[in-house]
Amino acid sequence: MVKAVIDGISVEVPAGTSILDAARKVQIKIPTLCKHPDAYLHASGACGICMVRVKGSKKMLRACCTPLEDKMDIITHDPEIFEIRRTVIELILSNHPNECLTCGRNNNCELQSVVADFAIREEFFEKIVPDIPQDKSTGNIVLDPRKCIKCARCVDVCQNTQDVWALTFLHRGFNTRMAPAGDISLAESPCVRCGQCSAHCPTGAIVEQDDTKLAWKALRDPEQYCVVQIAPATRVALGEAFGYPLGSNVTKKMYAALRRMGFKAIFDTNFGADVTIMEEASEFVERFAHKKGPLPLITTCCPSWVDFMEKFHSDMIPYFSSAKSPHEMVGALVKTYYAEKKKLDPAKIKVISIMPCTAKKFEISRSREMSASGYQDVDVVLTTREMARMVKQAGIDFVNLPEEECDHILGDYSGAGTIFGATGGVMEAALRTAYSFVTGKKLPKVEFENVRGLKEVKETSINIEGTEVRIAVAHGLANVEYVLNQIRTARKEGKPPPYHFVEVMACPGGCVGGGGQPYGVTDELRVARSKGLYSEDEALTIRCSHENPYVQQLYKEFLGKPLGEKSHRLLHTKYQPLPVYRR
Amino acid sequence: MAKTVFIKDTAITGKDRTRDFYGLFLGVLREKGLDTTIQLVRLADMGIYSAGIAVRVLPDNHLYTQVGESDIAGIVESIKTGQPYQPRLTKQASTQMRIVLRNCGVIDPEKIEDYIAHDGYHALARCLTELTPEQVIQEMKTSGLRGRGGAGFPTGMKWEFTRKSAGDQRYIICNGDEGDPGAYMDRSVLEGDPHSVIEGMAIGGYAIGASKGFFYIRAEYPLAIERIEKAIKQCHDNGLLGSNILGSQFSFDVEIRLGAGAFVCGEETALLASIEGKRGYPSPRPPFPSVKGLWGKPTCINNVETLANIPVILFKGGEWFSKIGTETSKGTKVFAVTGKVKRSGLVEVPMGTTIEDIVYGISGGAMSGKSVKAIQTGGPSGGVIPKDYFQTRVDYESLQKMGSIMGSGGMIVMDEDDCMIDIAKFYLGFCVDESCGKCAPCRIGGTQMLRLLEKISEGRGVPKDLEQLAMISRAMQKASLCGLGQTAPNPVLSTLNYYRAEYDAHVNDKKCPACKCSKLLSFLIRQDKCVKCGMCFKACPVGAISGNREKGYVIDQEKCIRCGQCFEVCKPAAVLRQ
């Protein structure tokens, strides 16, 4: 621990804590544009706004990347510091287009806030904004390098947290710009569309493609029958946009809001998650208990992870579960099972998914299997951030909205379905059902605490009737390589697989920390959102997917049995190696 | 007895005639059948400048300058007799004190035997056999040597910090990414005395406990790279690098890494990133490289000139070295004196020598009869020092007090034709070009300042611009991430400080007192002085001058591009530049 003084206030923090973080502890907020509070991101020292000084020293220090030292006496505010900060902000503004009103980050831009806080009312320096075109090539993530302030958060998260290396800086000096390496388009780059860049960008330089117009168009078309589903992680994050405490579960308000927007059927991806577990747990039992197929089984709910694997680790394809992701399953079932029951023309059904994720926008058209119903199974994907905007556009007073229920037959879910949104959740849900499938017994205790939490790689084993099941859970793509190398080494040495079951989620924390979630993600927030999901799981009476009566009904009336012919056609997919660069 | 002859064309301007002269000399030797007993060597640097072709005969140590083709026969004859060839015999100026450049131009840089014969590797042997690493560091601390790369951090302390940092592997790096405009002392040492740098590194490696060293040399120095490569190979052949050097427990090896042309990679943390194969971005300090450097291991980075000092210090002792120089700055410093000076070249003087002694005494003052206006030291990170302050004794502190810095030792002499706004623009432009773009103050601030200077030099300046220049300068100095951005405003600030009147003339009167800023100039033909020769008419590249030899000539101000050609060619000085 180090003891120091900041602005005359004593502070004690663990050694290595930055001055910026230490100051926060004593209610001093030092402005910064490059350091994100998320612990995954490193302090780059790029913006030069967080300047502070040791009392009596002429030199200034960057609070974001200078560790507080014992007996330091830090001044965070004096006339010179204020002047320097203001000048730097004015300089950054001189290199930023004045397009606030039409910007994707209008009203929640960090640069806008800082400029407003410093009461900059006129442009002091000459405006120099080079003309660089936008990159909309991916169709789900939009790069606008002109708005980039070179804070390097996106490059850091893309290279270090996600190990994708799609984004980098090109050129140098004033001509420095954020872009895919080699100046190719983002779609040609290794980008896996996880959207972590957009979730951490302080300005509108990287935003999700806004598809709310597409959703409204479908909703306003009297010919169309619009069906919506909400992903597990969105229900514990959307509330943040309306001032709810972190991690609040607003599922039933979301249902009500969506119904008011004009959706004819309100379904839940959690139901799809339950179906995914039926298929995936059966696949696991096939491979584990009946030795049909290689182990470990690796989960495939996350489209960024699938894309990453197809590009960088295609030797892992045999281990992949062929089960589609939950929202794709719901999409396929809406346009077949539900359409049949309701006697609807599937051509006139529009399925819209509310997702915590930008990669889901890409997933809906990634392969032929995503049109298993004969039509594109999911038509539009909206992120949590877009849904918040739609609620506001619709003039809905979200906070005071009465709570409503979802519609049956593809809406009701078990506790296992809801925890899909947190890292380890898919594993836990699958284990609950796999246990019963293998033993034919009811699980005495459904919680598997060892797979929960934010540890980068969670390796553990559980005992199913005397047989050890070794599992690994990884989140954040940079953590995957360790797990995959364990598998590779064992395979090379002819040893038994180190794990039987592996879960991977591309984003740190799983979908609660997804690239389409509300801004400002930190570990604290990831924990709060996960907690919201685990509390819901605890409160539900049905906590295992196979016990969901609507799931049972689905198999009885329509699918037959898990991994059956119909399941394979509608609910499973294929993988293929992809080139890392497409040019 | 076998003799060696060194040849170098010391003229700074024009084509390097060393190779041609070498051919001629060799021809004469062959003719006389002496080419087997007399060895001819082409040098890259002899430590003598602006003295035509220079020839040095060893071991007689006869130096000849301004040598012409007709002198070859005479010199060859004198080599045979051992008596000097009087017509071209030269005594080298003695005001210089050559420690760093002790071997440059004296030994054959491609021969390890030559280096060893000049006390080379004796210091390393002494360290390995007589001194513990701690004693080596103590000796360095006694010497008072400070880093010659610019910042002037005490070398002994740097070594001590690195030695005391915990780590299973340590590195020593030679920073040969010399990039200041006009500075080339590091290149000369690498080319002229490569073994001294390797020896310095090996001693440093022994002192800090490193088994591995890296040369980071800019790719624009091909000869330096070639010589270092050869020197490393010779060391391997002679057991001076590799395992158990000179039979001791100490093992040490070095590798070369090339810089790809970024000035910022001379900054320690950016240099490390570059060696690691990453984008050459500086990173915040702490952690300092001595704690967490190359691949996270404790690393010591020393400049070429610093390393070249080390063998001498450990051969003659720190005590001896500390007697040279001033109270705070010990030893000598090599300056690259360039610009509008009579004898440009490398100058090595004890710390504390006055600027006057260097500029006038050693380098001969201004070229072509004009008077010296100021010097610029420290390259783009430094500032100007007007001639009124030439009594200043050069050391780290006094230059800083003058608003400049020692830097790597560039010293550019300016005369009355130089406009200070133009000078500031040049240096700032260099930093803007070389800015890595990582931090906002340097990336945007530099560009904004350059725009303001351009505005001022084109006569579009307003008084508020000077205020903005000062404001951005303060922000860059305080908030830039690395030394490049922090010091980039120095040339602007120091010219603003000493030559405010010139700025005011540009901004308020739209005049350039040095007649340098072309947009502020106008050219007129004074009819009373004009002899109607028509030279200006012929010289004008845009046809702005009209008239004939009877009526005389006039300049059309609309068409004139202010190139100054007419002014240059007019013999009776009838063209008025104002």
Side-chain angles (χ1 to χ4, degrees):
Chain A
M1 298 294 277
V2 291
K3 275 188 189 169
V5 174
I6 303 179
D7 289 346
I9 305 163
S10 301
V11 60
E12 196 174 343
V13 289
T17 307
S18 72
I19 297 172
L20 187 84
D21 289 338
R24 275 194 190 130
K25 287 228 157 109
V26 286
Q27 302 82 43
I28 297 165
K29 281 176 84 177
I30 300 168
T32 172
L33 280 176
C34 64
K35 176 70 187 92
H36 193 284
D38 189 357
Y40 279 89
L41 271 68
H42 306 83
S44 73
C47 76
I49 296 174
C50 65
M51 307 312 294
V52 297
R53 73 164 100 234
V54 173
K55 197 173 184 177
S57 158
K58 274 190 185 172
K59 224 180 122 187
M60 291 191 189
L61 306 166
R62 277 171 158 68
C64 67
C65 51
T66 313
L68 191 69
E69 284 169 28
D70 217 28
K71 300 193 182 78
M72 257 186 176
D73 191 351
I74 297 287
I75 301 290
T76 74
H77 202 94
D78 68 22
E80 197 193 1
I81 291 173
F82 184 79
E83 192 217 295
I84 299 298
R85 284 183 189 163
R86 197 186 156 97
T87 307
V88 174
I89 294 165
E90 281 175 332
L91 284 171
I92 293 173
L93 188 62
S94 77
N95 185 218
H96 189 85
N98 289 350
E99 291 169 10
C100 294
L101 294 183
T102 51
C103 176
R105 291 299 295 274
N106 190 19
N107 268 346
N108 66 37
C109 165
E110 294 177 38
L111 176 60
Q112 205 180 36
S113 310
V114 165
V115 170
D117 292 348
F118 276 75
I120 293 166
R121 300 289 162 80
E122 59 176 327
E123 301 235 10
F124 195 66
F125 300 118
E126 185 194 350
K127 198 85 169 171
I128 320 173
V129 184
D131 196 17
I132 311 168
Q134 287 188 346
D135 181 344
K136 293 185 172 179
S137 59
T138 58
N140 35 63
I141 292 164
V142 182
L143 306 185
D144 192 346
R146 291 176 318 140
K147 293 179 187 163
C148 174
I149 60 164
K150 285 87 181 172
C151 68
R153 289 179 190 174
C154 57
V155 175
D156 188 8
V157 81
C158 188
Q159 298 185 351
N160 302 321
T161 309
Q162 298 298 65
D163 199 21
V164 172
W165 296 77
L167 288 176
T168 186
F169 283 116
L170 300 180
H171 307 294
R172 70 182 187 194
F174 193 72
N175 299 320
T176 305
R177 66 188 164 92
M178 163 272 298
D183 209 8
I184 54 179
S185 75
L186 194 59
E188 293 163 330
S189 82
C191 174
V192 297
R193 281 85 164 167
C194 70
Q196 285 298 321
C197 51
S198 73
H200 289 91
C201 180
T203 69
I206 308 182
V207 291
E208 71 286 347
Q209 165 85 42
D210 188 283
D211 289 327
T212 55
K213 268 188 200 153
L214 289 179
W216 283 124
K217 197 178 161 214
L219 281 166
R220 283 163 186 157
D221 185 346
E223 290 285 297
Q224 302 284 357
Y225 187 92
C226 289
V227 175
V228 72
Q229 56 172 323
I230 64 167
T234 58
R235 68 202 65 218
V236 286
L238 183 76
E240 288 162 30
F242 299 98
Y244 282 85
L246 303 184
S248 302
N249 188 332
V250 294
T251 313
K252 293 184 173 177
K253 300 230 177 201
M254 282 174 85
Y255 291 159
L258 291 164
R259 198 164 276 134
R260 287 199 183 191
M261 282 181 210
F263 286 103
K264 300 265 180 13
I266 316 292
F267 291 150
D268 203 311
T269 311
N270 286 3
F271 174 84
D274 280 338
V275 181
T276 302
I277 288 303
M278 293 297 285
E279 297 294 326
E280 212 163 74
S282 302
E283 238 182 322
F284 178 68
V285 172
E286 279 290 291
R287 295 199 198 183
F288 181 73
H290 307 134
K291 316 273 182 249
K292 287 184 193 159
L295 285 170
L297 180 72
I298 303 180
T299 65
T300 53
C301 302
C302 170
S304 287
W305 158 230
V306 170
D307 199 29
F308 185 74
M309 177 279 299
E310 289 185 323
K311 282 173 177 163
F312 294 96
H313 303 289
S314 55
D315 60 322
M316 291 289 141
I317 287 179
Y319 304 113
F320 260 47
S321 160
S322 63
K324 282 186 191 171
S325 70
H327 92 120
E328 282 294 340
M329 289 197 179
V330 171
L333 292 171
V334 166
K335 292 190 179 180
T336 53
Y337 175 53
Y338 182 72
E340 264 175 56
K341 279 201 94 154
K342 279 273 186 177
K343 302 198 171 47
L344 296 167
D345 176 4
K348 289 188 176 158
I349 301 177
K350 285 270 185 232
V351 177
I352 291 166
S353 301
I354 311 294
M355 296 281 130
C357 181
T358 46
K360 292 281 177 190
K361 287 175 184 274
F362 157 75
E363 185 189 22
I364 56 175
S365 56
R366 67 175 284 268
S367 68
R368 243 177 345 133
E369 287 76 22
M370 300 301 141
S371 303
S373 63
Y375 306 90
Q376 188 172 306
D377 297 334
V378 175
D379 297 279
V380 180
V381 167
L382 301 175
T383 60
T384 317
R385 300 195 288 261
E386 287 166 275
M387 160 124 189
R389 288 199 284 272
M390 274 185 86
V391 171
K392 289 171 186 169
Q393 285 164 24
I396 295 167
D397 176 6
F398 191 81
V399 177
N400 295 309
L401 212 53
E403 296 193 336
E404 291 181 16
E405 297 299 326
C406 65
D407 291 308
H408 304 307
I409 52 178
L410 302 174
D412 307 76
Y413 55 88
S414 75
T418 208
I419 58 172
F420 256 58
T423 167
V426 177
M427 177 62 71
E428 185 170 344
L431 290 175
R432 289 179 189 178
T433 291
Y435 180 90
S436 298
F437 281 3
V438 172
T439 63
K441 290 181 195 161
K442 204 172 155 60
L443 199 58
K445 178 176 180 291
V446 296
E447 292 90 357
F448 292 89
E449 273 94 2
N450 284 352
V451 299
R452 298 185 181 182
L454 292 179
K455 192 168 170 252
E456 290 90 347
V457 177
K458 292 164 276 185
E459 296 172 284
T460 181
S461 65
I462 58 155
N463 198 318
I464 299 186
E465 298 270 284
T467 315
E468 190 198 31
V469 180
R470 294 185 296 275
I471 53 182
V473 174
H475 58 118
L477 287 172
N479 296 321
V480 174
E481 193 151 321
Y482 163 79
V483 173
L484 300 187
N485 284 342
Q486 296 287 100
I487 300 170
R488 287 186 184 118
T489 313
R491 186 174 58 188
K492 215 164 107 190
E493 293 170 358
K495 288 184 185 157
Y499 319 108
H500 299 112
F501 204 172
V502 174
E503 180 207 292
V504 177
M505 292 293 158
C507 295
C511 306
V512 289
Q517 294 278 61
Y519 297 110
V521 70
T522 57
D523 273 352
E524 188 196 353
L525 189 52
R526 291 182 183 104
V527 168
R529 288 174 184 166
S530 308
K531 224 170 161 186
L533 293 176
Y534 287 119
S535 327
E536 184 180 26
D537 168 40
E538 242 168 78
L540 287 169
T541 36
I542 296 174
R543 299 182 68 184
C544 297
S545 302
H546 60 282
E547 291 168 4
N548 181 343
Y550 287 92
V551 171
Q552 290 167 353
Q553 189 189 337
L554 166 73
Y555 278 96
K556 208 164 106 195
E557 287 182 5
F558 185 68
L559 289 174
K561 60 176 180 25
L563 308 181
E565 185 275 326
K566 225 173 197 172
S567 293
H568 257 296
R569 189 162 49 80
L570 293 175
L571 309 181
H572 289 258
T573 183
K574 297 189 193 77
Y575 309 98
Q576 57 183 1
L578 291 179
V580 174
Y581 289 91
R582 288 172 187 249
R583 187 154 123 167
Chain B
M1 184 189 167
K3 292 197 178 181
T4 307
V5 176
F6 291 159
I7 294 176
K8 166 75 183 143
D9 180 1
T10 64
I12 296 288
T13 51
K15 183 177 172 272
D16 186 346
R17 295 169 296 152
T18 311
R19 184 184 287 268
D20 300 341
F21 194 81
Y22 173 86
L24 291 171
F25 209 108
L26 193 64
V28 175
L29 288 180
R30 285 213 179 110
E31 231 170 68
K32 308 212 167 183
L34 290 168
D35 54 319
T36 47
T37 49
I38 297 176
Q39 200 204 355
L40 214 50
V41 180
R42 275 184 286 135
L43 284 190
D45 189 279
M46 207 184 254
I48 304 160
Y49 305 94
S50 309
I53 303 265
V55 173
R56 189 194 289 277
V57 180
L58 292 174
D60 312 339
N61 201 17
H62 295 150
L63 174 69
Y64 308 105
T65 57
Q66 307 290 0
V67 179
E69 208 182 321
S70 54
D71 298 313
I72 296 176
I75 292 175
V76 170
E77 207 49 45
S78 81
I79 294 173
K80 283 203 308 202
T81 61
Q83 293 305 309
Y85 171 67
Q86 290 299 339
R88 298 282 175 231
L89 188 67
T90 310
K91 267 200 155 179
Q92 212 166 337
S94 57
T95 41
Q96 295 197 41
M97 182 175 195
R98 297 210 150 204
I99 293 177
V100 173
L101 302 173
R102 61 193 179 278
N103 292 329
C104 289
V106 179
I107 64 164
D108 179 350
E110 299 195 357
K111 276 195 175 158
I112 191 169
E113 310 85 68
D114 263 26
Y115 180 68
I116 291 171
H118 284 76
D119 303 334
Y121 291 109
H122 290 36
L124 177 64
R126 178 178 169 230
C127 290
L128 296 183
T129 52
E130 292 171 25
L131 302 176
T132 63
E134 287 78 11
Q135 284 170 322
V136 174
I137 290 174
Q138 191 47 51
E139 197 83 350
M140 289 306 297
K141 284 166 106 176
T142 308
S143 77
L145 176 70
R146 293 168 68 174
R148 299 293 193 242
F153 192 80
T155 306
M157 274 167 76
K158 204 178 209 178
W159 284 10
E160 191 169 40
F161 286 148
T162 317
R163 178 163 186 86
K164 285 186 175 162
S165 294
D168 51 350
Q169 169 78 54
R170 292 187 186 83
Y171 297 104
I172 184 163
I173 293 174
C174 167
N175 185 349
D177 193 50
E178 186 174 51
D180 282 4
Y184 59 100
M185 60 287 291
D186 291 352
R187 193 195 71 196
S188 287
V189 173
L190 290 171
E191 289 176 357
D193 193 12
H195 283 289
S196 71
V197 188
I198 295 178
E199 186 179 0
M201 270 176 97
I203 293 171
Y206 175 69
I208 66 169
S211 59
K212 182 98 202 170
F214 285 95
F215 272 97
Y216 188 81
I217 309 175
R218 59 192 305 213
E220 295 91 330
Y221 284 178
L223 185 62
I225 295 159
E226 189 192 313
R227 293 246 158 106
I228 290 289
E229 271 169 358
K230 274 190 189 160
I232 291 173
K233 193 177 172 296
Q234 289 166 354
C235 286
H236 281 143
D237 295 345
N238 288 280
L240 290 162
L241 281 178
S243 325
N244 303 95
I245 294 171
L246 299 174
S248 71
Q249 291 302 305
F250 178 59
S251 299
F252 183 76
D253 214 336
V254 292
E255 265 182 55
I256 302 178
R257 290 284 184 278
L258 303 190
F263 178 66
V264 77
C265 286
E267 196 278 342
E268 288 192 338
T269 56
L271 184 151
L272 293 175
S274 177
I275 293 185
E276 289 175 6
K278 296 180 190 151
R279 188 176 162 91
Y281 260 178
S283 26
R285 292 181 303 183
F288 287 91
S290 57
V291 179
K292 221 174 149 197
L294 197 61
W295 294 297
K297 307 292 181 191
T299 303
C300 175
I301 302 161
N302 290 130
N303 162 270
V304 171
E305 194 184 330
T306 313
L307 289 169
N309 268 304
I310 285 161
V312 192
I313 292 174
L314 283 146
F315 184 67
K316 299 194 177 176
E319 194 63 41
W320 165 81
F321 190 82
S322 71
K323 293 203 173 97
I324 307 163
T326 66
E327 191 55 41
T328 55
S329 307
K330 303 294 183 195
T332 59
K333 178 77 193 88
V334 183
F335 290 96
V337 185
T338 52
K340 298 187 176 154
V341 69
K342 235 174 232 155
R343 290 190 290 276
S344 56
L346 294 186
V347 166
E348 184 173 355
V349 290
M351 293 277 189
T353 307
T354 63
I355 297 173
E356 191 167 25
D357 281 348
I358 299 172
V359 173
Y360 294 105
I362 298 173
S363 302
M367 212 157 54
S368 66
K370 299 245 164 85
S371 70
V372 174
K373 183 174 183 176
I375 57 161
Q376 157 87 19
T377 67
S381 305
V384 295
I385 298 173
K387 70 160 181 250
D388 297 351
Y389 300 90
F390 277 11
Q391 285 306 318
T392 308
R393 296 181 176 278
V394 286
D395 65 18
Y396 291 96
E397 280 71 24
S398 59
L399 286 180
Q400 213 160 13
K401 229 181 272 166
M402 298 296 300
S404 184
I405 58 165
M406 178 79 82
S408 59
M411 189 178 276
I412 297 180
V413 180
M414 293 166 282
D415 69 13
E416 55 205 15
D417 283 348
D418 286 307
C419 163
M420 286 299 150
I421 284 89
D422 195 58
I423 293 291
K425 210 169 71 180
F426 168 77
Y427 283 110
L428 188 69
F430 180 85
C431 284
V432 168
D433 266 357
E434 294 295 343
S435 162
C436 75
K438 180 172 179 175
C439 76
C442 172
R443 181 182 70 242
I444 311 169
T447 303
Q448 288 284 10
M449 282 181 77
L450 190 61
R451 293 260 180 137
L452 289 167
L453 287 178
E454 278 165 0
K455 215 175 130 188
I456 292 168
S457 70
E458 286 170 10
R460 295 182 288 115
V462 291
K464 192 181 142 205
D465 293 342
L466 300 182
E467 188 194 318
Q468 286 200 1
L469 278 177
M471 205 174 136
I472 303 174
S473 297
R474 285 196 294 272
M476 285 179 76
Q477 286 180 321
K478 298 283 181 184
S480 288
L481 184 61
C482 80
L484 190 148
Q486 285 161 9
T487 57
N490 287 359
V492 179
L493 289 175
S494 78
T495 49
L496 254 176
N497 179 26
Y498 293 120
Y499 298 95
R500 174 71 191 223
E502 274 190 42
Y503 277 87
D504 288 339
H506 282 73
V507 172
N508 301 330
D509 314 333
K510 311 292 175 206
K511 291 276 175 224
C512 175
C515 291
K516 184 91 184 174
C517 298
S518 62
K519 288 255 167 83
L520 297 179
L521 293 181
S522 61
F523 292 87
L524 274 177
I525 295 170
R526 292 177 57 172
Q527 299 303 333
D528 56 327
K529 281 200 177 177
C530 179
V531 296
K532 299 174 184 160
C533 66
M535 287 300 284
C536 57
F537 176 79
K538 278 186 203 149
C540 181
V542 292
I545 300 177
S546 59
N548 54 45
R549 297 193 63 169
E550 271 130 50
K551 282 197 211 153
Y553 298 88
V554 282
I555 300 173
D556 182 345
Q557 296 301 326
E558 294 283 294
K559 280 190 189 167
C560 175
I561 57 164
R562 297 163 185 92
C563 65
Q565 298 267 359
C566 52
F567 179 81
E568 298 291 330
V569 297
C570 184
K571 288 225 173 78
V575 176
L576 187 67
R577 183 178 69 174
Q578 58 187 19

